[in-house]
Amino acid sequence: MPVNPPCPTPPAAGPSTTASRSVRKPRPWPRWNASRLVVTIPLFLPLTVGVVAGDTIAGEASLGTLRYLLLAPVERGRLLLVKYLGAATFCLAATLSIVLAGSLVGAALFPVGPVTLLSGDTIGAWEALWRALLVAGYVTVSLLGLAAVGLFVSTLTVAPVGAMAATAVLAIVVQMLGSLDQIAWLHPWLLSEHWLGFVDLLRNPVRWDSFVDNALLQLGYVVVFGALAYGRFTTKDVLS
């Protein structure tokens, strides 16, 4: 009777096979931070910053506590500066919260290890965390100009809801203007021109041009609207 040949046994896993299985492939978990910020910057972050900045002076006036604050030996300019620093601190806290939440969710869904940047290069997890903190700093700087605008609007009224709504609507309007090619000459001066430029920090090498341009633009808004808020607040008759 014919005898069937024995079935070939699978080759044992050699060193190369074992090594290939143990290699950790780059994971995209830090991109959760970038995707979250891309979603939140156009609407949610400006909305929350508008609420906080619009409530700085108008909120105190509506509650009747602004008058009592000015009865103390505190200069109006100093009070205005403290209010703005509070709004700027909120900008930093909100951005760090989003980055931290994105990092935790990404680490839970994907193994923590080497990560891939937008340029295709691979970096370690610690450097990826440093890049995420740089992005948080970039977004915080991007919101400082809007906070200054909200502070100025807050000095114009005693209704905090109106100041909040005006600041939030202004943030949406400037983004709509930035999408119109017919007024391209105005785009470099718009508040939101460099809001999404943080993606340059996720490349290798890092491109700092957007960071510098954004910082200079926001500084201009802070100086102009900070001066307007100071001029309005120091000459305003506080009756409540």
Side-chain angles (χ1 to χ4, degrees):
M1 296 178 63
V3 180
N4 295 329
C7 297
T9 58
S16 59
T17 305
T18 306
S20 62
R21 291 178 180 177
S22 61
V23 173
R24 305 182 68 178
K25 296 182 180 181
R27 300 294 181 178
W29 65 268
R31 293 187 183 177
W32 276 81
N33 293 324
S35 61
R36 283 173 176 265
L37 289 173
V38 168
V39 172
T40 55
I41 282 181
L43 178 61
F44 296 108
L45 275 177
L47 178 61
T48 55
V49 172
V51 169
V52 173
D55 190 62
T56 49
I57 302 298
E60 297 284 358
S62 65
L63 294 176
T65 56
L66 182 60
R67 182 178 181 182
Y68 295 102
L69 287 175
L70 296 179
L71 288 177
V74 178
E75 296 180 358
R76 293 193 178 191
R78 183 180 178 183
L79 178 61
L80 196 68
L81 178 61
V82 170
K83 288 293 186 180
Y84 178 74
L85 291 178
T89 302
F90 175 82
C91 295
L92 177 61
T95 307
L96 287 177
S97 299
I98 294 174
V99 171
L100 179 61
S103 299
L104 293 177
V105 172
L109 296 179
F110 303 99
V112 178
V115 297
T116 304
L117 297 175
L118 297 180
S119 58
D121 300 290
T122 303
I123 60 175
W126 288 109
E127 185 176 352
L129 179 60
W130 170 245
R131 297 289 185 101
L133 294 177
L134 286 179
V135 170
Y138 184 101
V139 176
T140 302
V141 172
S142 301
L143 297 173
L144 294 181
L146 182 62
V149 174
L151 181 69
F152 168 65
V153 176
S154 185
T155 62
L156 300 177
T157 179
V158 295
V161 176
M164 298 174 191
T167 306
V169 170
L170 177 64
I172 297 175
V173 169
V174 295
Q175 294 181 77
M176 295 176 60
L177 294 178
S179 63
L180 298 178
D181 296 333
Q182 291 79 3
I183 53 173
W185 57 271
L186 185 62
H187 292 174
W189 304 99
L190 293 178
L191 185 66
S192 60
E193 175 64 15
H194 302 287
W195 276 4
L196 299 180
F198 64 85
V199 294
D200 289 338
L201 301 177
L202 302 178
R203 306 181 190 275
N204 197 18
V206 177
R207 297 169 57 184
W208 295 98
D209 297 342
S210 298
F211 191 96
V212 175
D213 294 340
N214 182 48
L216 293 176
L217 179 62
Q218 302 304 322
L219 178 61
Y221 273 89
V222 170
V223 171
V224 172
F225 284 92
L228 292 175
Y230 178 81
R232 169 61 178 171
F233 188 59
T234 54
T235 58
K236 179 180 180 180
D237 292 332
V238 179
L239 303 177
S240 59

